[in-house]
Amino acid sequence: VDFVQGVLASNPLQSDYFFWIDGGFAHGLHKRFRYRRVIGRPWPNPQKNDLMKDTILVVQTRDVHERRDIVGVFTYHDAMLSGNIWGGDRKRMLVYCSEFKTELRWAFEQNLMDDDQAVMTAVYLKHPEMFSLVDCSSSLRDRGYMLKYLDGR
């Protein structure tokens, strides 16, 4: 999250919005017919910028209210949010980075560790107002769902 926070703070593209996309996220997407229409043109579609204003968009993989036990999220690899593609309002994301570090420290103090999605879920459970959830629970294996959500077509 230090890398993300550094890019957000320096804002080299002078943008109000930022997205984290894991390096391997798009591996194989060109072979999938359903994503061919989002390749080779601007993304997110500028007409969808209002969906990112004052919020962080994150893919919800299942009902976030199913489990409120944050220790269980870490212990049982039970995160409800996906960390492969997320983003939105740059200022809101700077706050998120700070909260992420707080929750990461807490996890270390509790001798808990899972992955970035567990920490993201911990931040969400304490600060749901920071996020807008993009529900892909019905198509859980659709790792490109956010691509379609912010596409212009």
PDB file of all heavy atoms in Angstrom, residues 7 9 15 56 90 119:
ATOM      1  N   VAL A   7       2.102   6.986  -5.177  1.00  0.00           N
ATOM      2  CA  VAL A   7       1.588   7.420  -6.487  1.00  0.00           C
ATOM      3  C   VAL A   7       0.410   8.368  -6.296  1.00  0.00           C
ATOM      4  O   VAL A   7       0.303   9.396  -6.972  1.00  0.00           O
ATOM      5  CB  VAL A   7       1.194   6.209  -7.360  1.00  0.00           C
ATOM      6  CG1 VAL A   7       0.481   6.661  -8.626  1.00  0.00           C
ATOM      7  CG2 VAL A   7       2.414   5.380  -7.703  1.00  0.00           C
ATOM      8  N   ALA A   9      -0.160  10.348  -3.771  1.00  0.00           N
ATOM      9  CA  ALA A   9       0.331  11.628  -3.245  1.00  0.00           C
ATOM     10  C   ALA A   9       1.026  12.454  -4.322  1.00  0.00           C
ATOM     11  O   ALA A   9       0.825  13.664  -4.409  1.00  0.00           O
ATOM     12  CB  ALA A   9       1.274  11.384  -2.070  1.00  0.00           C
ATOM     13  N   SER A  15      -4.746  13.457 -11.916  1.00  0.00           N
ATOM     14  CA  SER A  15      -6.086  12.897 -12.034  1.00  0.00           C
ATOM     15  C   SER A  15      -6.803  12.903 -10.691  1.00  0.00           C
ATOM     16  O   SER A  15      -6.169  12.808  -9.637  1.00  0.00           O
ATOM     17  CB  SER A  15      -5.988  11.451 -12.548  1.00  0.00           C
ATOM     18  OG  SER A  15      -7.263  10.858 -12.601  1.00  0.00           O
ATOM     19  N   ILE A  56     -14.590   4.693  -3.091  1.00  0.00           N
ATOM     20  CA  ILE A  56     -13.681   3.679  -3.613  1.00  0.00           C
ATOM     21  C   ILE A  56     -14.541   2.523  -4.095  1.00  0.00           C
ATOM     22  O   ILE A  56     -15.348   1.988  -3.337  1.00  0.00           O
ATOM     23  CB  ILE A  56     -12.709   3.177  -2.527  1.00  0.00           C
ATOM     24  CG1 ILE A  56     -11.846   4.330  -2.012  1.00  0.00           C
ATOM     25  CG2 ILE A  56     -11.845   2.039  -3.058  1.00  0.00           C
ATOM     26  CD1 ILE A  56     -11.041   3.986  -0.783  1.00  0.00           C
ATOM     27  N   ARG A  90      -9.255   9.796  -5.682  1.00  0.00           N
ATOM     28  CA  ARG A  90      -7.870   9.845  -5.208  1.00  0.00           C
ATOM     29  C   ARG A  90      -7.769  10.258  -3.746  1.00  0.00           C
ATOM     30  O   ARG A  90      -7.055   9.639  -2.948  1.00  0.00           O
ATOM     31  CB  ARG A  90      -7.053  10.808  -6.082  1.00  0.00           C
ATOM     32  CG  ARG A  90      -5.568  10.808  -5.772  1.00  0.00           C
ATOM     33  CD  ARG A  90      -4.819  11.820  -6.620  1.00  0.00           C
ATOM     34  NE  ARG A  90      -5.088  13.181  -6.208  1.00  0.00           N
ATOM     35  CZ  ARG A  90      -4.476  13.788  -5.189  1.00  0.00           C
ATOM     36  NH1 ARG A  90      -3.566  13.160  -4.492  1.00  0.00           N
ATOM     37  NH2 ARG A  90      -4.770  15.029  -4.873  1.00  0.00           N
ATOM     38  N   VAL A 119      -7.239  -7.513   4.893  1.00  0.00           N
ATOM     39  CA  VAL A 119      -7.022  -6.179   5.452  1.00  0.00           C
ATOM     40  C   VAL A 119      -8.037  -5.203   4.855  1.00  0.00           C
ATOM     41  O   VAL A 119      -8.618  -4.379   5.562  1.00  0.00           O
ATOM     42  CB  VAL A 119      -5.574  -5.700   5.219  1.00  0.00           C
ATOM     43  CG1 VAL A 119      -5.361  -4.311   5.808  1.00  0.00           C
ATOM     44  CG2 VAL A 119      -4.574  -6.694   5.811  1.00  0.00           C
TER      45      VAL A 119
END
